[in-house]
Amino acid sequence: MGLDMYLETMDKTTGETTIIHSWRKANQIRAWFVNQFDKDPNDQLKIKLTPETIDNLICDMTQVLAHQQLASNLLPTSVGFFFGSTDYDEYYFETLADTVDYLMHDLEWHTETEDLYYTEWW
């Protein structure tokens, strides 16, 4: 078991969902969503996203990658029974770099026909 996190699209007409990206135990990204949307950290999350939300996440991740000392302020780790390491280590920064790369180059989301959600399971 562990913290499994997803970006998924939902077709606005059919309601069909498709997972388009996933993370495992990337608790710093989860904490970002909890903080940005003022969610209870003890709840499993499903949050509808906007292009502005994605831009803000990219901005914060890019700042942390450029200035690692900002990590605990902009993208702090979070504790949970299945959430993995809270260290600001190589895995932490690799996860951010991979996520920025995905969001900037590979994200396929057709805002006219699809909604985008952050979801999770643990």
Side-chain angles (χ1 to χ4, degrees):
M1 290 191 87
L3 173 62
D4 294 316
M5 306 150 48
Y6 311 96
L7 287 180
E8 64 182 24
T9 56
M10 180 184 291
D11 186 287
K12 291 180 180 182
T13 304
T14 66
E16 181 181 333
T17 61
T18 304
I19 294 172
I20 60 171
H21 189 71
S22 63
W23 302 268
R24 181 143 176 88
K25 298 185 179 184
N27 62 62
Q28 72 275 33
I29 296 170
R30 180 190 196 273
W32 188 89
F33 283 110
V34 167
N35 293 331
Q36 292 297 307
F37 291 91
D38 196 29
K39 296 292 186 179
D40 183 338
N42 297 310
D43 290 343
Q44 287 184 352
L45 305 178
K46 181 173 184 174
I47 300 170
K48 185 176 177 180
L49 306 178
T50 65
E52 180 182 39
T53 304
I54 297 300
D55 290 344
N56 291 339
L57 179 58
I58 291 169
C59 180
D60 285 350
M61 288 182 175
T62 303
Q63 287 184 63
V64 168
L65 289 168
H67 308 284
Q68 292 185 358
Q69 70 274 17
L70 297 175
S72 62
N73 290 327
L74 293 178
L75 284 147
T77 59
S78 64
V79 176
F81 188 68
F82 300 113
F83 287 14
S85 173
T86 56
D87 294 337
Y88 296 93
D89 57 9
E90 184 176 330
Y91 176 76
Y92 173 97
F93 293 105
E94 280 180 11
T95 300
L96 296 186
D98 291 345
T99 301
V100 167
D101 184 58
Y102 173 78
L103 295 175
M104 292 182 70
H105 302 110
D106 298 324
L107 175 62
E108 291 188 26
W109 166 30
H110 308 284
T111 58
E112 313 80 39
T113 59
E114 300 172 320
D115 290 322
L116 182 67
Y117 290 89
Y118 165 84
T119 63
E120 61 189 25
W121 181 257
W122 70 79

